[in-house]
Amino acid sequence: MVLKDIKMPTKRNVISFGLAALLLGGFSPALSPAQAADKPLPVVASFSILGDFVRNVGGERVSVEVLVGPDGDAHVFSPSPADARKVSAAKLVVVNGLGFEGWMPRLVKSAGSKTSQVVATKGITPLSAEDDDHDDHGKGGHKHADAHGHDHGPDDPHAWQSVANAAIYVRNIRDGLIAADPHGKATYEANAAQYLDRLSALDAKVKAAIASIPEERRRIVTSHDAFAYFAKAYGLTVLPPQGVSSETEASAKDVAAIIRQIKAEKIPAVFLENITDPRLINQIAKETGARIGGTVYSDALSGPGEPAPTYIAMIEHNVKAFTDALKP
């Protein structure tokens, strides 16, 4: 073979051969931020309301696993090994705090997880679960017929029932997502701003609706003490036979006191909750003659296709139930 028969590779061929060799050798180029975003950030939310907040802020950049799902009661939740696997796989865990998820520390320990956590109630001034914090003129608050034992500690954890507090939840979740996924900062900020505008409009709507109820009729009876933040924010009095945990059973003394008060104050309606046994409220309604004003959503959203699949739908549903039952 003479020299002229040898074909020297062109520059283009050298580049092609080199790239092929790298690919065949298993080389994988580093992903750009845009390519990395194609894989959603795995986030675990402790219960359904938080899951809705995370989805609204995170959008397509997150995949959300909820531990206590629609119509589930976080007060009595018992985590499974599958829940531990979810926590272990997450890049961020979002919890309510204020003692709401008493089972979470054990779950995180069993999962062996060191995943970052967002406490959604950070910055919120909690109401006391122990105080008889009420206003006899119906200007907002709650009271217990008797002291209740519970496993939440001194704070009432149901802070999401005030829409102004929900806005704090959203800001905390936004900041937690940015810390876990800095490349998504612009997306999280834009989504949060849009959702916060919707919450602001909702807050104004709730205030107007409750103001339309005569002041002397702004009293609600629900199964357990989940609406104190709502009452304080919007000017009602709530009278729950159970304490802040649905796990706590109402005593006969508590129930008798509520019945006497409903009769004395001519409270027109009582409300079932989606997470609690309806028998207690049915008993109270039967003995007082108060009508059942429907089911309200306290600690959990409903499933899809039902009245409260999102936080905003939940608040709108509850307000309509209250106003329909309490307005003369």
Side-chain angles (χ1 to χ4, degrees):
M1 182 172 60
V2 294
L3 187 60
K4 66 178 181 179
D5 291 327
I6 299 174
K7 292 184 178 180
M8 299 300 292
T10 66
K11 182 177 180 182
R12 180 178 178 181
N13 287 339
V14 169
I15 293 172
S16 298
F17 296 157
L19 180 59
L22 285 170
L23 292 175
L24 289 171
F27 172 77
S28 179
L31 294 178
S32 70
Q35 290 170 316
D38 291 340
K39 186 176 182 181
L41 183 77
V43 181
V44 164
S46 61
F47 70 116
S48 57
I49 292 170
L50 289 186
D52 185 52
F53 291 154
V54 175
R55 291 185 184 102
N56 274 281
V57 178
E60 294 182 356
R61 289 191 71 94
V62 301
S63 63
V64 185
E65 292 277 7
V66 172
L67 298 179
V68 185
D71 296 314
D73 186 354
H75 295 291
V76 297
F77 178 68
S78 180
S80 68
D83 295 317
R85 289 192 291 272
K86 291 175 185 177
V87 170
S88 180
K91 296 296 184 184
L92 188 69
V93 175
V94 182
V95 300
N96 184 77
L98 300 180
F100 186 60
E101 304 97 339
W103 38 266
M104 182 59 81
R106 297 190 302 275
L107 175 59
V108 169
K109 184 177 180 180
S110 68
S113 175
K114 295 182 180 179
T115 302
S116 298
Q117 286 192 25
V118 171
V119 179
T121 53
K122 181 182 177 182
I124 288 173
T125 302
L127 297 179
S128 171
E130 302 290 351
D131 292 343
D132 289 339
D133 175 22
H134 69 281
D135 185 324
D136 291 334
H137 299 289
K139 292 183 180 178
H142 69 294
K143 57 181 169 181
H144 309 288
D146 195 6
H148 298 282
H150 55 79
D151 59 2
H152 290 295
D155 297 326
D156 181 340
H158 304 89
W160 62 83
Q161 288 292 349
S162 157
V163 179
N165 282 346
I168 296 175
Y169 278 57
V170 168
R171 293 186 187 100
N172 286 331
I173 289 168
R174 174 200 63 199
D175 294 346
L177 288 173
I178 291 171
D181 175 24
H183 293 303
K185 183 173 188 280
T187 297
Y188 300 138
E189 288 180 339
N191 289 348
Q194 184 179 41
Y195 190 59
L196 288 168
D197 285 344
R198 294 177 65 197
L199 291 181
S200 180
L202 177 66
D203 192 44
K205 184 177 178 180
V206 175
K207 288 174 180 175
I210 300 302
S212 71
I213 302 170
E215 192 171 299
E216 68 276 6
R217 293 175 68 88
R218 293 179 205 164
R219 285 170 166 75
I220 57 176
V221 177
T222 58
S223 301
H224 88 293
D225 195 3
F227 288 92
Y229 289 91
F230 185 94
K232 186 175 180 63
Y234 303 112
L236 296 94
T237 298
V238 291
L239 306 163
Q242 289 177 281
V244 296
S245 173
S246 61
E247 195 172 12
T248 305
E249 291 189 11
S251 69
K253 182 180 178 181
D254 294 340
V255 175
I258 290 289
I259 288 171
R260 286 195 302 271
Q261 188 164 5
I262 291 172
K263 289 179 177 178
E265 298 182 11
K266 296 182 172 57
I267 294 172
V270 296
F271 298 88
L272 304 172
E273 290 179 45
N274 67 318
I275 66 161
T276 57
D277 189 324
R279 289 177 293 180
L280 175 60
I281 291 296
N282 285 329
Q283 174 195 345
I284 291 171
K286 183 177 180 181
E287 294 194 27
T288 61
R291 74 185 183 92
I292 294 177
T295 298
V296 292
Y297 293 82
S298 54
D299 294 19
L301 302 178
S302 70
E306 296 178 12
T310 67
Y311 175 79
I312 289 176
M314 178 189 84
I315 296 294
E316 290 176 338
H317 170 85
N318 289 350
V319 169
K320 187 176 188 304
F322 294 148
T323 54
D324 285 353
L326 299 180
K327 288 175 73 171

